[in-house]
Amino acid sequence: MSQNLISLTLSDDKLAAVDQALATLEEALAGLIALDVDVRKGLSRMGPKSEQFCRQTLSALTQNLQVVPPSVGLAEALNDLETLDRLRPRLHRLRKLAERADDSEVALGSDVMSLALEGYALLKVAGRNQGLEALRRELSGRFNKSPAATRQEAGQT
């Protein structure tokens, strides 16, 4: 029996709705940025322990404005924290959706591959007397290893 991890059909109307929703998200979140890898590596990270520290520090600074020079940018930091708090639940939902989409992509590919392997096995056995030998040979290219891969497996270089 063939593998069938997922049965999903995406009509043109559904895909158009998805595309519109994505366009709406992209427009609404146009202020999001993409960091260069080197910049990202050099940034201070706010993990759970650091977040508590940051929240307490910002709270203490807010309660003691007399010690905070305007150049510190407390208002911007408070805005960043509020935006972070508002953005996180949406990011969580997006990550869950993206994870389900990734898993669905894998499942769809696996279902197709599983059936193709079964079909290939049928062609190898039943296709011999049906004039399908040339097609079977063409399909067998998927399983042929390159000379480099064969040498690597044999321990040669």
Side-chain angles (χ1 to χ4, degrees):
M1 185 170 149
S2 297
Q3 170 184 306
N4 189 22
L5 298 173
I6 183 172
S7 289
L8 177 67
T9 302
L10 296 173
S11 67
D12 290 343
D13 289 344
K14 279 192 176 192
L15 288 174
V18 168
D19 290 340
Q20 181 57 50
L22 289 170
T24 300
L25 281 171
E26 289 167 347
E27 183 180 323
L29 297 172
L32 296 179
I33 63 169
L35 296 172
D36 180 79
V37 175
D38 293 330
V39 171
R40 182 183 264 273
K41 285 180 182 178
L43 293 176
S44 300
R45 300 293 176 117
M46 186 175 75
K49 288 181 183 179
S50 296
E51 183 172 342
Q52 185 61 32
F53 164 79
C54 292
R55 288 181 185 280
Q56 288 175 335
T57 301
L58 292 181
S59 177
L61 291 173
T62 302
Q63 294 171 16
N64 298 285
L65 291 174
Q66 72 278 6
V67 300
V68 182
S71 62
V72 168
L74 178 59
E76 183 64 30
L78 290 168
N79 182 63
D80 288 351
L81 185 59
E82 179 184 356
T83 302
L84 180 63
D85 288 342
R86 295 170 60 97
L87 182 60
R88 274 187 177 156
R90 282 87 185 165
L91 291 177
H92 179 71
R93 289 177 63 191
L94 285 170
R95 284 186 189 108
K96 283 176 53 177
L97 181 61
E99 188 174 308
R100 288 179 35 219
D102 287 342
D103 288 350
S104 296
E105 178 185 28
V106 168
L108 287 165
S110 181
D111 284 354
V112 170
M113 185 66 180
S114 178
L115 183 84
L117 290 170
E118 284 183 43
Y120 177 70
L122 287 172
L123 288 172
K124 280 176 42 179
V125 174
R128 286 189 179 140
N129 300 326
Q130 304 295 320
L132 299 173
E133 185 60 25
L135 176 61
R136 189 210 53 82
R137 274 195 307 273
E138 183 180 327
L139 293 173
S140 72
R142 156 50 174 101
F143 302 101
N144 291 341
K145 294 182 180 178
S146 69
T150 305
R151 280 194 307 270
Q152 279 183 330
E153 285 181 4
Q156 302 168 354
T157 35

